Amino acid sequence: MKFQPTASHFIDGAYVEDTAGTPIDVIYPATGEVIARLHSATPQIIEQALTSAKRAQKAWAAMTGTERGRVLRRAADIMRERNRELSILETHDTGKPLQETLVADATSGADALEYFGGLAGSLTGEHIPLGGGDFVYTIREALGVCVGIGAWNYPTQIACWKGAPALACGNAMVFKPSETTPLSALKVAEILIEAGAPKGIYNVVQGYGDVGAALVTDPRVAKVSLTGSVPTGRKVYAAAAEGMKHVTMELGGKSPLIVFDDADIENAVSGAILGNFYSSGQVCSNGTRVFVQKGIKEAFLTRLTERLAKVKIGDPMDEAVNFGPMVSEAQMNIVLGYIEKGKAEGARLVHGGARLDREGFYLEPTVFADVTDDMTIAREEIFGPVMSVLDFETEDEVMARANATEFGLAAGVFTNDLTRAHRVVAGFEAGTCYINTYNLAPVEAPFGGSKMSGVGRENSKLAINHFSEMKTVYVSMNDVEAPY
Ligand code: NDP
């Protein structure tokens, strides 16, 4: 098989196999072909990974931040040099077009390694003067062994967004990719070793939810960072709470994108396309509830459908193709179910709506208009290329409706009224907001959700606080006064 890795897991600097684990078939979504066969981690594999991480972590934390950073920056360079090779692998793992993976996956992972590599040498505590010459100093310490659990939409990116800040702070990581897309995290682990990371600092174990659950509950684990759905987040958060572990939860969304009638329509349509159809709609922060003010509704829908007619759907390895298959047959069927619900509940299908008559798990980009707030497609995360267009008349009305969701991952507004843009963003109940753009996630800026969409933030300097903790040290320069 063309993409068969040396073995399923990467532990203590080497590939490791245990064929007693449940088989995991890796399927190329564009053809349905099995491209690799891996095995889920057995209890022995999990034990090996945790033992190795625990053993390696203290020495890694004892290195200077500059030394740790050098390893991460070297790994970033290697990832960039191998971008094409890694992107081809990512395309086969996920089905995302090569046109996308060349610019959004290994490159984004490399950005995280470079950014946190750069920060590693400047991570410090502080000095706090007290009265009479006494003082306090704080020591920023690593948490220990961290577990990362990933979703299937951005496997390389997730492996690096979690690994890079964890390692920069002196932690060791055990990472479990989604079993749907298990291949690229192994490459991240390999590259880190090649860049000079000590063995055991970044381990990858494959498996289904039960492997994730075993990792989360292990007493040696100090922190869990999950990217996944809200139901999984709830379970993982609860399990982590038992052990009082640190958590970062990057979960799902049903984000609003509001287009006022003074907006630049071309830009708003571009934002809606980026926010609904990139990666075939499998992006957590997508603005899938597109509220369009009544005055421009028809013009917006006309331009949207005209532009969607130009989408190039096809073989994801063809660099001219900009819309690929869904990640799996199961996900395709979930999305088809939502499309049927949209029709049954009375939404007006204005574009797409069908599976493509070809091999692989292809759906058309789909747009529903006249969607109302109570329809299933407007309430639940679909995680596929289905845009719901909803009408609105006033700002107050749309703000109330935009926020009437349990999710709070992202939100966007298109308007040329400067004060309204900032007022609307101030009113959004969401962790990541966009004005006249959508779906950017550079490593320098915090990314994460409010409400049910998660806790904590990834990326930016804030991520450092989620992978380290402060030790407070009181120092007396004077005699100690006691009452007796
Ligand atoms: P899931 O929640 O189904 O799975 C996420 C990961 O958790 C998988 O690796 C899964 O393993 C694992 N897992 C499942 N059950 C448990 C458990 N009880 N204990 C520990 N680990 C477990 O998400 P998907 O993979 O289907 O990804 C889609 C979801 O991810 C969407 O809701 C999307 O919005 C969200 N997402 C959020 C992002 C963000 O940054 N906020 C970014 C990308 C996606 P397995 O797959 O083997 O079951």
Side-chain angles (χ1 to χ4, degrees):
M1 275 175 281
K2 199 167 159 200
F3 291 95
Q4 183 68 33
T6 310
S8 299
H9 319 285
F10 194 94
I11 298 172
D12 212 33
Y15 276 97
V16 181
E17 191 57 270
D18 182 350
T19 51
T22 314
I24 298 173
D25 282 347
V26 187
I27 290 166
Y28 182 33
T31 60
E33 175 197 354
V34 177
I35 55 167
R37 171 166 274 199
L38 276 57
H39 291 92
S40 182
T42 53
Q44 289 83 339
I45 289 286
I46 295 172
E47 182 56 35
Q48 244 178 287
L50 288 169
T51 306
S52 148
K54 184 82 188 162
R55 193 174 50 228
Q57 188 265 326
K58 284 262 184 298
W60 173 244
M63 284 164 64
T64 66
T66 306
E67 289 168 325
R68 289 197 301 273
R70 196 174 300 139
V71 171
L72 298 185
R73 285 185 291 104
R74 241 186 250 136
D77 290 344
I78 300 173
M79 281 192 84
R80 288 212 179 86
E81 280 159 24
R82 300 202 189 137
N83 184 37
R84 178 160 285 272
E85 184 191 319
L86 294 168
S87 302
I88 290 171
L89 181 69
E90 189 81 325
T91 286
H92 281 81
D93 219 358
T94 61
K96 294 192 292 182
L98 190 59
Q99 188 191 95
E100 280 189 24
T101 53
L102 281 170
V103 296
D105 293 278
T107 52
S108 165
D111 283 354
L113 290 162
E114 184 174 5
Y115 177 84
F116 288 106
L119 279 186
S122 61
L123 302 179
T124 58
E126 60 180 346
H127 172 270
I128 304 160
L130 300 178
D134 294 353
F135 62 95
V136 167
Y137 65 94
T138 57
I139 306 172
R140 185 178 289 280
E141 293 190 332
L143 300 175
V145 176
C146 300
V147 162
I149 301 177
W152 40 255
N153 57 347
Y154 283 85
T156 310
Q157 186 187 83
I158 295 171
C160 294
W161 280 19
K162 297 187 188 311
L167 267 51
C169 292
N171 301 289
M173 173 154 279
V174 178
F175 186 77
K176 190 203 85 69
S178 164
E179 93 284 352
T180 311
T181 55
L183 300 178
S184 37
L186 293 168
K187 291 288 170 196
V188 174
E190 245 184 70
I191 287 171
L192 279 162
I193 287 290
E194 208 178 318
K199 294 172 180 177
I201 283 306
Y202 189 91
N203 307 284
V204 175
V205 298
Q206 309 293 350
Y208 298 88
D210 59 321
V211 173
L215 291 168
V216 170
T217 48
D218 192 281
R220 286 165 288 189
V221 171
K223 149 128 205 170
V224 181
S225 178
L226 169 82
T227 297
S229 62
V230 171
T232 303
R234 215 184 254 124
K235 276 190 239 161
V236 172
Y237 200 169
E242 272 301 305
M244 211 56 79
K245 298 176 201 294
H246 298 250
V247 294
T248 302
M249 295 281 145
E250 293 292 352
L251 309 176
K254 189 74 197 176
S255 302
L257 175 57
I258 304 177
V259 182
F260 284 95
D261 57 16
D262 66 348
D264 178 306
I265 291 198
E266 283 309 309
N267 282 336
V269 168
S270 297
I273 287 174
L274 285 179
N276 279 273
F277 302 125
Y278 200 71
S279 299
S280 298
Q282 302 163 116
V283 179
C284 52
S285 48
N286 273 356
T288 46
R289 291 184 294 144
V290 182
F291 292 92
V292 182
Q293 205 162 15
K294 276 211 163 141
I296 56 158
K297 173 188 168 181
E298 289 311 323
F300 178 89
L301 286 173
T302 302
R303 279 306 289 146
L304 178 64
T305 45
E306 281 169 5
R307 288 179 55 183
L308 284 177
K310 294 189 198 142
V311 72
K312 266 194 84 80
I313 308 179
D315 175 4
M317 285 300 291
D318 173 353
E319 278 184 60
V321 162
N322 50 28
F323 193 91
M326 303 301 295
V327 74
S328 64
E329 188 168 17
Q331 188 63 19
M332 178 188 69
N333 288 331
I334 290 172
V335 177
L336 278 171
Y338 277 109
I339 292 172
E340 287 314 310
K341 272 195 191 129
K343 291 183 198 161
E345 292 178 15
R348 177 163 62 100
L349 183 66
V350 293
H351 191 89
R355 179 177 183 181
L356 261 63
D357 185 17
R358 56 174 292 160
E359 62 175 6
F361 315 128
Y362 285 88
L363 293 178
E364 293 175 310
T366 298
V367 178
F368 281 106
D370 304 336
V371 177
T372 54
D373 297 347
D374 55 333
M375 289 180 186
T376 310
I377 56 169
R379 286 187 289 107
E380 296 181 11
E381 184 182 45
I382 299 174
F383 225 60
V386 182
M387 183 195 298
S388 292
V389 177
L390 304 96
D391 305 342
F392 78 95
E393 289 185 16
T394 69
E395 183 181 320
D396 284 351
E397 168 214 336
V398 77
M399 288 309 289
R401 292 169 60 199
N403 287 330
T405 167
E406 61 170 4
F407 298 110
L409 188 54
V413 57
F414 277 82
T415 176
N416 276 324
D417 179 336
L418 187 67
T419 51
R420 174 157 63 194
H422 293 290
R423 189 170 60 238
V424 163
V425 160
F428 276 145
E429 296 169 2
T432 307
C433 297
Y434 301 96
I435 297 175
N436 292 335
T437 184
Y438 206 80
N439 256 359
L440 307 173
V443 69
E444 297 86 356
F447 182 83
S450 344
K451 294 159 78 177
M452 292 302 281
S453 291
V455 291
R457 292 293 178 265
E458 295 201 294
N459 289 342
S460 80
K461 286 183 254 178
L462 284 186
I464 296 299
N465 288 334
H466 297 293
F467 280 103
S468 60
E469 65 186 351
M470 286 301 193
K471 179 180 276 174
T472 304
V473 184
Y474 289 87
V475 181
S476 174
M477 303 294 281
N478 300 287
D479 291 336
V480 178
E481 282 179 31
Y484 50 86

